[in-house]
């Protein structure tokens, strides 16, 4: 079974307390009696020495001292002559005393006592022994000694009392032992709790950390080893957190990079396939017509001229495509360097319209230009012209039989908005976003008819993004409106 640190600490310390209490109980029951007798014996010896020092042969002269010993120490004192005749016996004296003092009487000593004394007195200065009195059925601790004047001193103290008091002491000790164990158990429990709480908390935090959760911190309250460990764990957590989030960030960035790389790769492949697709037709035409020209070289002038025209026309388209592509790749690669200047937008529009007038007239297009006075704007005039021309080309290519094209210039909130409207069919909703990507065409056949590649609006997007200005398209009643903005000065 796996025990927690707290339980182990509690059990270990409680065990120690129980062990010590039990140990003292055993010590007590085994040795308290003996110790007590030892103490009593020392008391008897001390009393005997005192008497030996005081006694001159006449008990009466030290009666007060003897009575003091008798009463204070509970010792029965007998003094015998060398012939074992009782000269003084404290209990007899007390018993016979009454109210008046009487002279000591000589008491005969019982024969067994005399024998006992004779046997034992030779053994040492102070001979002690536990003796049972058969009449009283009590044990006495007896001391026998030969005094300096040759007389014999016998001291008795009952040890029934001793046994009783050690029993009481043992019982009391058992009682206090239980209280000690109970209180000690509570104290140990509280201590174990208090001591292990921070360790358990640290353990919890470390486990959370292993699950990469670094939000929990150890509240450092002490400066001991546990407090230091807490601090270390906190800083470890912080550093791990930092390192791991940095790693995550780097990983995220790497993923993004890979994703972008993949997207660019896909775009590049699409681009190449689009370009080759666009080139396929003119190349095939050129090849076909060149072969035709070679075979029919002897035919009439007119048909030769037609073959040549087709070849030149297709070569011209290819040339345009390559130019557009170069232009676009330059813009999309971010190499576009804008040369911004302040210029009058009204004059700019007039200038561009002048160039377009022959085309409009030729196609019978009704052109309306609306301008809000003279506005000065800030931008790359060459690139802005490219944008406007792309819108105008598209308008010319998509205008319907109503033949209406409207160019408007309006100013609002620091921006000048230029819009090109042409009457015609609206652009399908799901294509409104897509027309800004290269090679996207809503109607392929129609686009091919006017020689478009679907690159014009991507050029517009690139230029406007480089300017940091907005652009867009809206379907209107009976037509389509393209617009872009440019900073007003
Ligand atoms: N004024 C317009 N009206 C309707 N559709 C348009 C107009 N301008 C552009 N489009 C659509 O957007 C597509 C992309 O235009 P653009 O990028 O200029 O390419 P291109 O003009 O070479 O076709 C066109 O093929 C056409 O389908
Ligand atoms: Mg176009």
């Amino acid at each position: 079974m796996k025990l927690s640190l707290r339980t182990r600490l509690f059990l270990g310390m409680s065990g120690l307390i129980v062990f010590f209490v039990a140990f003292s109980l055993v010590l007590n029951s085994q040795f308290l009696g003996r110790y007590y007798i030892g103490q009593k014996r020392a008391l008897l010896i001390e009393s005997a020495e005192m008497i030996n020092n005081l006694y001159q042969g006449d008990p009466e002269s030290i009666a007060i001292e003897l009575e003091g010993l008798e009463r204070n120490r509970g010792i029965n004192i007998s003094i015998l002559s060398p012939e074992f005749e009782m000269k003084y016996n404290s209990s007899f004296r007390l018993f016979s005393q009454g109210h008046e003092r009487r002279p000591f009487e000589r008491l005969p000593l019982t024969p067994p006592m005399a024998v006992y004394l004779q046997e034992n007195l030779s053994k040492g200065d102070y001979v002690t022994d536990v003796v049972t009195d058969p009449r009283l059925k009590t044990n006495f601790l007896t001391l026998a000694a030969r005094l300096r004047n040759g007389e014999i001193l016998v001291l008795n103290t009952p040890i029934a009392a001793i046994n009783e008091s050690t029993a009481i002491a043992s019982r009391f000790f058992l009682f206090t032992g239980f209280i000690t164990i109970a209180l000690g158990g509570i104290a140990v429990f509280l201590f174990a709790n208090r001591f292990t709480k921070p360790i358990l908390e640290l353990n919890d935090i470390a486990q959370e950390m292993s699950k990469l959760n670094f939000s929990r911190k150890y509240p450092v309250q002490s400066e001991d080893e546990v407090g230091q460990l807490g601090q270390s764990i906190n800083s470890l957590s912080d550093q791990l957190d930092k390192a791991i989030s940095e790693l995550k960030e780097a990983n995220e960035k790497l993923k993004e990079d890979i994703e972008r790389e993949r997207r660019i790769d896909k775009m590049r492949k699409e681009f190449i396939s689009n370009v080759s697709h666009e080139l396929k037709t003119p190349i095939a035409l050129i090849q076909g017509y060149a072969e035709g020209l070679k075979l029919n070289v002897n035919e009439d002038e007119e048909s030769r001229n037609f073959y040549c025209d087709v070849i030149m026309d297709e070569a011209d388209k290819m040339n345009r495509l390559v130019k557009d592509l170069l232009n676009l790749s330059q813009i999309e690669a971010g190499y576009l360097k804008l040369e911004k200047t302040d210029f009058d937008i009204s004059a700019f529009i007039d200038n561009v319209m002048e160039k377009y007038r022959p085309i409009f007239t030729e196609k019978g297009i009704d052109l309306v230009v609306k301008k809000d006075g003279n506005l000065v704007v800030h931008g790359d005039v060459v690139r802005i012209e490219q944008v406007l021309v792309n819108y105008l080309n598209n308008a010319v290519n998509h205008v319907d039989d109503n033949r209406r094209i409207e160019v408007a210039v309006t100013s609002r909130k620091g921006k000048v908005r230029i819009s090109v409207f042409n009457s015609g069919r609206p652009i399908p909703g799901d294509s409104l976003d897509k027309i800004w990507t290269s090679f996207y065409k809503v109607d392929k056949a129609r686009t091919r008819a006017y020689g478009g590649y679907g690159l014009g609006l991507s050029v517009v997007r690139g230029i406007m993004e480089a300017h940091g200005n907005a652009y867009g398209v809206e379907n209107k009643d009976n037509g389509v409106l393209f617009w872009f903005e440019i900073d007003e000065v």
Side-chain angles (χ1 to χ4, degrees):
M1 189 171 65
K2 220 182 104 210
L3 290 176
S4 77
L5 190 64
R6 179 170 46 197
T7 317
R8 287 215 309 265
L9 193 63
F10 173 69
L11 289 181
M13 289 177 69
S14 306
L16 268 184
I17 291 183
V18 170
F19 171 76
F20 280 119
V21 167
F23 184 66
S24 350
L25 270 176
V26 169
L27 274 187
N28 233 29
S29 63
Q30 290 298 310
F31 299 106
L32 187 60
R34 285 185 221 181
Y35 176 76
Y36 214 80
I37 289 179
Q39 291 285 305
K40 279 277 176 196
R41 179 174 287 133
L43 193 74
L44 286 188
I45 290 172
E46 194 202 318
S47 309
E49 269 175 351
M50 212 176 110
I51 295 170
N52 205 359
N53 288 336
L54 292 173
Y55 187 56
Q56 304 289 328
D58 176 17
E60 194 66 24
S61 63
I62 57 165
I64 293 296
E65 284 83 358
L66 292 179
E67 196 175 336
L69 285 177
E70 166 89 34
R71 286 185 191 260
N72 294 335
R73 302 191 172 176
I75 301 172
N76 174 276
I77 304 165
S78 308
I79 297 175
L80 313 175
S81 71
E83 293 76 36
F84 300 110
E85 281 172 347
M86 187 71 80
K87 280 183 78 178
Y88 173 87
N89 182 285
S90 57
S91 63
F92 172 78
R93 182 179 58 81
L94 289 171
F95 179 71
S96 62
Q97 198 173 17
H99 291 289
E100 53 179 299
R101 285 186 161 271
R102 280 205 274 152
F104 289 113
E105 290 170 42
R106 296 192 164 212
L107 290 176
L109 193 69
T110 49
M113 187 66 184
V115 174
Y116 170 79
L117 287 175
Q118 242 160 359
E119 275 175 5
N120 284 289
L121 275 175
S122 53
K123 287 182 187 165
D125 287 346
Y126 301 111
V127 181
T128 57
D129 202 355
V130 177
V131 180
T132 311
D133 185 321
R135 292 166 304 141
L136 300 174
K137 290 201 179 69
T138 39
N139 292 334
F140 287 91
L141 182 65
T142 304
L143 177 143
R146 198 174 283 279
L147 295 171
R148 255 179 238 119
N149 68 352
E151 290 180 347
I152 294 150
L153 174 70
V154 178
L155 301 179
N156 280 308
T157 187
I159 53 174
I162 296 170
N163 282 339
E164 199 179 323
S165 43
T166 56
I168 288 175
S170 287
R171 241 173 291 144
F172 182 69
F173 207 85
L174 197 66
F175 174 65
T176 54
F178 275 120
I179 291 182
T180 307
I181 289 174
L183 289 181
I186 293 172
V188 162
F189 178 75
L190 294 178
F191 173 75
N193 240 352
R194 215 180 110 82
F195 190 78
T196 53
K197 198 174 151 250
I199 297 174
L200 296 181
E201 194 174 351
L202 276 172
N203 188 28
D204 271 3
I205 292 174
Q207 267 172 3
E208 288 287 316
M209 276 167 66
S210 76
K211 291 178 203 147
L212 298 187
N213 174 9
F214 303 108
S215 59
R216 252 183 84 186
K217 291 280 173 291
Y218 177 75
V220 180
Q221 278 157 350
S222 59
E223 285 184 1
D224 56 7
E225 288 83 346
V226 175
Q228 282 169 6
L229 181 63
Q231 253 164 1
S232 306
I233 285 207
N234 281 352
S235 75
L236 180 67
S237 162
D238 281 344
Q239 265 155 13
L240 270 178
D241 193 12
K242 218 175 110 203
I244 286 180
S245 39
E246 272 170 12
L247 261 180
K248 267 192 196 149
E249 227 169 78
N251 196 25
E252 212 54 46
K253 211 175 153 283
L254 196 69
K255 268 198 210 148
E256 272 170 30
D257 284 356
I258 291 173
E259 187 51 39
R260 203 181 48 232
E261 207 58 44
R262 214 173 267 154
R263 227 173 33 235
I264 289 175
D265 199 49
K266 192 166 160 249
M267 269 163 60
R268 195 177 295 134
K269 281 192 187 126
E270 270 174 16
F271 188 79
I272 289 172
S273 99
N274 280 326
V275 172
S276 19
H277 183 79
E278 295 297 341
L279 285 172
K280 232 190 304 192
T281 322
I283 287 174
L285 281 171
I286 289 175
Q287 210 171 17
Y289 279 81
E291 276 169 13
L293 196 62
K294 196 178 174 186
L295 289 175
N296 305 320
V297 78
N298 297 325
E299 282 186 14
D300 60 314
E301 172 101 25
E302 197 181 329
S303 75
R304 272 208 311 271
N305 275 344
F306 172 71
Y307 279 63
C308 283
D309 281 347
V310 172
I311 290 171
M312 276 160 67
D313 198 36
E314 292 303 320
D316 182 53
K317 274 188 195 161
M318 275 172 35
N319 191 27
R320 261 194 310 115
L321 173 63
V322 171
K323 265 192 200 157
D324 282 358
L325 278 177
L326 280 176
N327 194 4
L328 185 66
S329 76
Q330 207 183 27
I331 291 170
E332 285 193 336
Y335 289 133
L336 183 59
K337 288 249 157 31
L338 296 178
E339 283 170 26
K340 288 187 174 179
T341 49
D342 293 349
F343 59 93
D344 183 340
I345 193 76
S346 173
F348 166 79
I349 300 271
D350 289 345
N351 190 14
V352 175
M353 289 308 145
E354 205 51 50
K355 288 188 203 163
Y356 265 77
R357 199 159 304 281
I359 299 173
F360 291 133
T361 325
E362 185 199 325
K363 299 205 167 179
I365 288 168
D366 175 17
L367 178 72
V368 183
V369 179
K370 291 183 192 160
K371 289 184 287 184
D372 270 7
N374 283 8
L375 299 165
V376 178
V377 296
H378 184 70
D380 185 327
V381 68
V382 177
R383 296 296 178 179
I384 297 293
E385 180 172 342
Q386 228 177 334
V387 171
L388 182 60
V389 165
N390 277 332
Y391 280 175
L392 285 173
N393 277 338
N394 285 349
V396 171
N397 288 328
H398 292 94
V399 73
D400 66 359
D401 293 341
N402 289 329
R403 313 230 145 250
R404 225 161 60 80
I405 291 182
E406 254 176 55
V407 176
V409 180
T410 47
S411 158
R412 63 170 180 195
K413 290 181 192 161
K415 302 274 182 192
V416 172
R417 177 184 282 230
I418 296 151
S419 60
V420 177
F421 169 87
N422 67 275
S423 60
R425 271 195 296 167
I427 298 174
D430 61 337
S431 292
L432 284 174
D433 284 339
K434 295 180 191 154
I435 53 173
W436 307 96
T437 53
S438 43
F439 295 108
Y440 185 83
K441 304 147 197 166
V442 177
D443 182 344
K444 288 204 174 75
R446 189 183 168 134
T447 308
R448 166 91 196 138
Y450 63 80
Y453 298 111
L455 295 176
L457 292 180
S458 6
V459 170
V460 169
R461 189 188 65 181
I463 292 173
M464 290 326 293
E465 279 173 1
H467 274 84
N469 276 324
Y471 59 95
V473 58
E474 287 158 26
N475 283 321
K476 296 275 172 193
D477 298 337
N478 315 316
V480 178
L481 180 128
F482 280 86
W483 58 268
F484 68 92
E485 288 181 345
I486 170 167
D487 295 332
E488 189 177 353
V489 179

